[in-house]
Amino acid sequence: QVRLVESGGGLVQVGGSLRLSCAASASTFTSYSVGWFRQTPRKERELVATINWGGSDTWYADSVKGRFSVSRDNAANMIYLQMTSLKPEDTARYYCAADETDGLGYRHWGQGTQVTVSS
């Protein structure tokens, strides 16, 4: 079982930046794909970025493309989400999740970290 812990959230002004981190407890994590999701009480959970096990393949939702960047450091069991040019609509709780690429989807989730963008 992989335990994921997010950090780095907080309150930021419009146009500001934040870097979220996701720390994994197991070295097997390095073979998993990882996704960053976000959710607010009024919206369904949204997948915003993914990265494959080696970091060579990334994907972004249109809503964050060009502003967010996902990366990973497998030596440190860490995943990052660099967020720039933040907008009020980016306000949400952000979660990282791991997919063992076994066809069963994202089975390992962190507890999330809150990002609030003030205007």
Side-chain angles (χ1 to χ4, degrees):
Q1 182 73 11
V2 174
R3 182 167 174 257
L4 304 175
V5 179
E6 301 93 336
S7 61
L11 176 64
V12 64
Q13 291 189 328
V14 168
S17 299
L18 280 176
R19 188 175 82 154
L20 305 184
S21 299
C22 174
S25 62
S27 61
T28 50
F29 176 72
T30 60
S31 64
Y32 299 167
S33 293
V34 173
W36 281 99
F37 293 79
R38 64 186 181 188
Q39 189 164 24
T40 69
R42 295 190 214 122
K43 287 187 182 178
E44 289 187 3
R45 186 171 60 198
E46 177 188 15
L47 177 62
V48 297
T50 66
I51 187 166
N52 71 334
W53 69 272
S56 61
D57 187 24
T58 57
W59 172 91
Y60 299 94
D62 287 344
S63 56
V64 306
K65 201 173 291 183
R67 301 187 299 119
F68 289 13
S69 177
V70 59
S71 61
R72 68 191 298 163
D73 179 352
N74 282 344
N77 284 355
M78 296 291 294
I79 301 283
Y80 304 100
L81 184 68
Q82 179 69 47
M83 306 186 297
T84 63
S85 301
L86 284 162
K87 305 175 182 179
E89 52 264 42
D90 295 319
T91 294
R93 192 163 186 86
Y94 285 73
Y95 300 85
C96 66
D99 177 357
E100 297 186 31
T101 62
D102 56 0
L104 298 179
Y106 293 97
R107 287 192 282 149
H108 308 284
W109 291 82
Q111 84 291 345
T113 186
Q114 179 67 34
V115 171
T116 302
V117 184
S118 65
S119 54

